[in-house]
Amino acid sequence: MLQPFRHTLKDQTPLYVFVAALFLMGVVFGALMVNALSLEQQQDLSRYLGNFFVSVNEGGESFQPMAYWEVAGVHLKWLGLIWLLGLSVIGLPGILVLDFLKGVLIGFTVGCLVGQYTWKGLLFALVSVAPHNLIVIPALVISSVAAIGFSLGIIRSRVLLHRTGNAAKPFLSYTGLTIAMAAVLLAVSSFETWITPTMMSWVTPMIGQSGL
């Protein structure tokens, strides 16, 4: 089980750098998208966030934290799509798009919070967005690199070199690493389900004091 980790962490450093850079580009792009919103869109966003924070602060019915399997399902679907795209040559661009899109989503979320509430929005992002993503993002990056590496291996062996060797061992290593990352995501989903809402409730009173 350790062999896939040694392989990806040691022999695929350039891919890690590339995927991480792509993700960071997505974060920057997502943050810049906030400035591109029209005045009406910004007002709608401000009202939505205001109502959300009031609901969290007062324990309103409109704030219903996601159940564990809903949270885990989101992460596992993302991971499963990366694994599936890695099985084919044509899926390679899709993996890169998913990594970029993940960065965009995080960048846009943090950018909205900071744009609306400055340092208080940043504090809320630190307790609501950052903690679980410190684990989720590396897990998805590792899975993406494994998927890209497996896809490139197919290209080299089947397309360029016209080899028809046994692909069972690479496939098992690739799938084994994906399963390990799934276990990690299942673990972090418990934190996101039961701990993150509590941390959010600690911070929202300070945001409410800003005049919501």
Side-chain angles (χ1 to χ4, degrees), residues 141-158:
V141 168
I142 291 174
S143 300
S144 297
V145 170
I148 294 171
F150 185 79
S151 183
L152 291 177
I154 295 176
I155 296 174
R156 286 193 296 264
S157 63
R158 302 297 175 84

Side-chain angles (χ1 to χ4, degrees), residues 118-139:
T118 60
W119 69 268
K120 293 180 180 179
L122 178 61
L123 180 60
F124 185 81
L126 289 176
V127 301
S128 63
V129 179
H132 60 273
N133 276 308
L134 289 175
I135 305 298
V136 171
I137 297 306

Side-chain angles (χ1 to χ4, degrees), residues 45-207:
L45 179 62
S46 180
R47 284 193 294 269
Y48 172 79
L49 289 175
N51 293 333
F52 173 76
F53 288 131
V54 169
S55 180
V56 175
N57 192 29
E58 297 179 355
E61 294 182 359
S62 59
F63 175 63
Q64 296 292 336
M66 295 175 65
Y68 172 77
W69 284 113
E70 291 178 317
V71 175
V74 171
H75 295 317
L76 293 180
K77 287 176 183 177
W78 202 282
L79 179 67
L81 186 55
I82 291 175
W83 176 82
L84 189 62
L85 290 172
L87 296 178
S88 64
V89 175
I90 60 175
L92 182 57
I95 300 170
L96 303 179
V97 170
L98 285 177
D99 291 326
F100 182 79
L101 181 59
K102 188 68 173 180
V104 170
L105 293 174
I106 293 177
F108 184 80
T109 301
V110 176
C112 287
L113 291 169
V114 175
Q116 294 291 328
Y117 302 104
T118 60
W119 69 268
K120 293 180 180 179
L122 178 61
L123 180 60
F124 185 81
L126 289 176
V127 301
S128 63
V129 179
H132 60 273
N133 276 308
L134 289 175
I135 305 298
V136 171
I137 297 306
L140 293 179
V141 168
I142 291 174
S143 300
S144 297
V145 170
I148 294 171
F150 185 79
S151 183
L152 291 177
I154 295 176
I155 296 174
R156 286 193 296 264
S157 63
R158 302 297 175 84
V159 178
L160 299 180
L161 301 179
H162 303 288
R163 293 177 179 173
T164 58
N166 187 5
K169 184 176 180 180
F171 173 77
L172 291 176
S173 296
Y174 169 48
T175 303
L177 186 141
T178 302
I179 293 174
M181 292 302 101
V184 172
L185 293 178
L186 286 174
V188 77
S189 294
S190 61
F191 180 93
E192 189 176 354
T193 301
W194 293 297
I195 305 300
T196 296
T198 301
M199 296 171 64
M200 290 166 59
S201 67
W202 294 342
V203 177
T204 47
M206 290 190 299
I207 299 178

